Amino acid sequence: MADAKVENNLIAIVSADKDFLSASKTAFSSSEAITLVTIEKPVSEISGEIQDTEAGAVIIDIGDGSIEDLEALQRITRRLADRVPTIVVADSHEAAMVRIIVQLRVADFLVKPVSTADLVRSCIRALKGLDKNDPGEADISTFMPAAGGVGNTTIALQTAFLLHGSVTRAASTCVVDLNFQHGSCAEYLDIEPRFNIAEVENQVERLDRQLLDALLSKHASGLAVLAAPNSPTEMRSFDADVVIRILDLVSAYFDNVVIDMPRTWFPWTELVLRGSNHVYLTAEMTVPCLRHTQRLVHAIQTEVGKDVKPGVIINRYTHAGPDGGVRTSDVEELLGERFVGGISNNYRLVREAVDRGVPLHDVDANANVVQDLKRIILPDEMSLEGVRRRRFLGFGGGLFRRAG
C-alpha cells in the first residue's frame, strides 16, 4: 500500500508463540509500508516495553486467553488509550473472551491460524486510523466473458495497464488469471506463467507473501501477473478456499487487482463476483452473444444477488451498415443502464499488440480502442485530459479571447 498514507509505520508484536512470530516476520519482510519489531514475551510479563518502541500500532497475542493474559491486555489498552490501535490475536474465539476483548475497543481481533493477508490488511487499517472513507483494501475489477472469443483477456489486460499507469490512480497492480485451463494472460504479454496451483491446493496455509513473490510473473512495465501454465487436457474445479485465499493474499499487497475470469461458472465464481468492486461482462454485437449476455446478467442477479451490478462492455463496437445487423440503438435498448460503453473494432492494432506481447498503447497511445476503454475505466481522467486539451487549443478563455 502507499507509504504516504502511513505516518508511523512501526508495528510492535507481543507474543511467546515462536511459530506465529516467524510467520509474522515473513509476512512483513517484503513490505515497504510496515516495519515490524518483536517483543518475545507472554503478554502477562509485559511492563513498559511497548511504550519504549513508540510503535504506531500493536499486535498482542493472548494465546488461549487466560485470566492473567486478559488482565494484562486490559492494562495495556488502558495505558495506550486511543493513541495506539491494538490488534489482538488469540488461539480461539471463546464467547466470554471475545466479549471482554470487544469491550476494550481494540482495532481488530484475529484467531489463529492467522493468514498473512488478514494480518497485513489489519495492520494497514490500524495505521490509517480506520477511516471509513478509505477502506484500505485493493480495488478489484473482474472481467467475465459472455461468450467465447469476445476479447475478455485483451480488455482485462489493457485495463490493468491503464490503472497501473494512471496519473490519478497510479499504484501497484496485479492481474490474476483464473482461467486455469485455457488462460492466456501470460502468453499475451510474452511472459512465463509461474503459478503451479497443484503445489499449494493441498497446503493452502503455505500461501504467504514470500511464496506469492515466487508465483508472480513480472512484465517489463512493472505489472504483476498471477497465471498458471495452460492445461488444455485437464479440466479441474479447484476448491473455493484455494481461490479465495489467493485473491485475499493478492489484495493485501496490491492497490489494484484485475481478474480475468473463465466463461465457465465454478463453485467459487459467486464468491469472486461478490468480493469485486467492479464487475464487467465482455460481449460483442451479435444476436447470440447479446442473448448470452442477458442470461448471464440474470444469472448473476439470481445466484449472486442484486448488490452485484455488472456493467456490460461491447467489444468490436460498430454502427450497423445499410445491410442491417445489430444497431447501436438495439444494444442500448436491450441492455439499458447495464451498457457502460463500447470498444471500437481495431483488429489490426490488437493483433499486433498480442503478437508483440505489449500493451495496446505501446502500438498506438491514441488508438481508438485505448481511448474507448479509458472512457469506461477512468472517466475522470478522460475529462481532465479534455479540459487540458481545450486549454491548449485556446477554447474557453485562452488564446482566442486574447487574439480578439
Side-chain angles (χ1 to χ4, degrees):
M1 303 296 119
D3 291 2
K5 297 179 181 178
V6 179
E7 294 181 0
N8 181 350
N9 68 346
L10 183 65
I11 295 279
I13 180 169
V14 177
S15 178
D17 184 341
K18 294 189 177 186
D19 290 337
F20 176 61
L21 286 171
S22 176
S24 300
K25 289 175 183 176
T26 301
F28 293 108
S29 62
S30 302
S31 173
E32 298 178 357
I34 294 174
T35 302
L36 192 70
V37 58
T38 59
I39 303 173
E40 300 185 24
K41 284 184 177 182
V43 64
S44 57
E45 296 180 11
I46 292 295
S47 53
E49 293 92 336
I50 293 177
Q51 288 90 325
D52 292 342
T53 66
E54 298 183 348
V58 180
I59 302 170
I60 298 180
D61 178 7
I62 61 170
D64 59 5
S66 67
I67 296 296
E68 293 79 10
D69 289 341
L70 287 172
E71 288 177 348
L73 176 64
Q74 206 166 19
R75 288 194 300 272
I76 292 170
T77 54
R78 191 182 303 121
R79 199 176 300 137
L80 296 177
D82 294 327
R83 294 177 293 104
V84 182
T86 303
I87 299 162
V88 177
V89 176
D91 293 341
S92 67
H93 54 278
E94 195 272 323
M97 177 182 67
V98 173
R99 280 196 296 272
I100 294 172
I101 294 172
V102 169
Q103 289 171 1
L104 297 177
R105 297 194 298 178
V106 299
D108 205 352
F109 173 59
L110 304 172
V111 179
K112 296 177 186 175
V114 181
S115 74
T116 55
D118 286 341
L119 190 62
V120 171
R121 184 184 297 116
S122 181
C123 289
I124 291 174
R125 282 176 173 171
L127 289 172
K128 290 179 179 179
L130 292 176
D131 182 355
K132 291 183 179 179
N133 295 319
D134 182 3
E137 296 184 356
D139 189 76
I140 302 174
S141 300
T142 296
F143 291 81
M144 190 172 186
V150 295
N152 194 71
T153 295
T154 298
I155 291 176
L157 288 174
Q158 187 60 29
T159 294
F161 282 116
L162 287 175
L163 295 174
H164 192 64
S166 165
V167 296
T168 57
R169 289 181 51 184
S172 58
T173 304
C174 181
V175 175
V176 180
D177 190 344
L178 290 184
N179 193 338
F180 300 119
Q181 187 180 19
H182 298 295
S184 53
C185 285
E187 291 183 353
Y188 276 31
L189 298 178
D190 195 24
I191 56 179
E192 181 184 357
R194 301 170 62 183
F195 179 35
N196 186 352
I197 195 168
E199 291 183 1
V200 298
E201 63 176 326
N202 295 320
Q203 303 178 68
V204 182
E205 66 280 357
R206 286 187 57 212
L207 279 169
D208 55 21
R209 177 57 193 260
Q210 191 171 10
L211 181 56
L212 178 64
D213 284 340
L215 299 175
L216 287 172
S217 304
K218 293 291 178 68
H219 187 261
S221 64
L223 187 72
V225 180
L226 187 66
N230 271 345
S231 301
T233 61
E234 189 177 5
M235 181 62 181
R236 301 182 61 188
S237 178
F238 297 100
D239 191 89
D241 289 343
V242 178
V243 176
I244 298 307
R245 180 65 181 270
I246 292 167
L247 296 178
D248 206 26
L249 188 61
V250 170
S251 299
Y253 291 104
F254 290 90
D255 298 292
N256 299 309
V257 177
V258 177
I259 301 174
D260 184 6
M261 292 282 281
R263 184 183 171 193
T264 305
W265 193 286
F266 289 98
W268 41 263
T269 298
E270 177 182 342
L271 297 172
V272 174
L273 296 179
R274 283 185 183 276
S276 302
N277 301 95
H278 318 280
V279 174
Y280 298 103
L281 308 181
T282 308
E284 62 181 2
M285 290 181 69
T286 65
V287 171
C289 187
L290 291 173
R291 285 175 177 167
H292 284 311
T293 304
Q294 281 187 303
R295 295 189 193 106
L296 186 53
V297 169
H298 178 71
I300 291 173
Q301 291 178 332
T302 303
E303 300 295 327
V304 183
K306 294 188 177 179
D307 288 341
V308 176
K309 302 185 186 325
V312 179
I313 297 175
I314 301 294
N315 196 19
R316 308 180 189 109
Y317 190 68
T318 58
H319 292 277
D323 294 333
V326 179
R327 297 169 298 180
T328 56
S329 58
D330 296 330
V331 172
E332 293 169 1
E333 182 179 352
L334 187 68
L335 299 175
E337 63 180 8
R338 296 290 181 210
F339 177 55
V340 296
I343 308 295
S344 300
N345 188 5
N346 195 333
Y347 179 72
R348 182 200 59 78
L349 180 137
V350 173
R351 183 180 62 181
E352 181 180 346
V354 171
D355 286 344
R356 289 171 51 191
V358 298
L360 301 179
H361 57 258
D362 272 15
V363 179
D364 183 356
N366 297 312
N368 50 5
V369 287
V370 176
Q371 300 305 311
D372 290 342
L373 185 59
K374 197 169 186 179
R375 269 187 285 272
I376 297 169
I377 304 301
L378 296 170
D380 293 341
E381 200 162 302
M382 286 296 289
S383 298
L384 182 62
E385 287 182 8
V387 170
R388 288 173 176 165
R389 192 176 297 111
R390 285 194 296 273
R391 286 177 179 169
F392 176 77
L393 293 172
F395 294 104
L399 299 176
F400 282 105
R401 198 149 48 211
R402 284 197 295 271

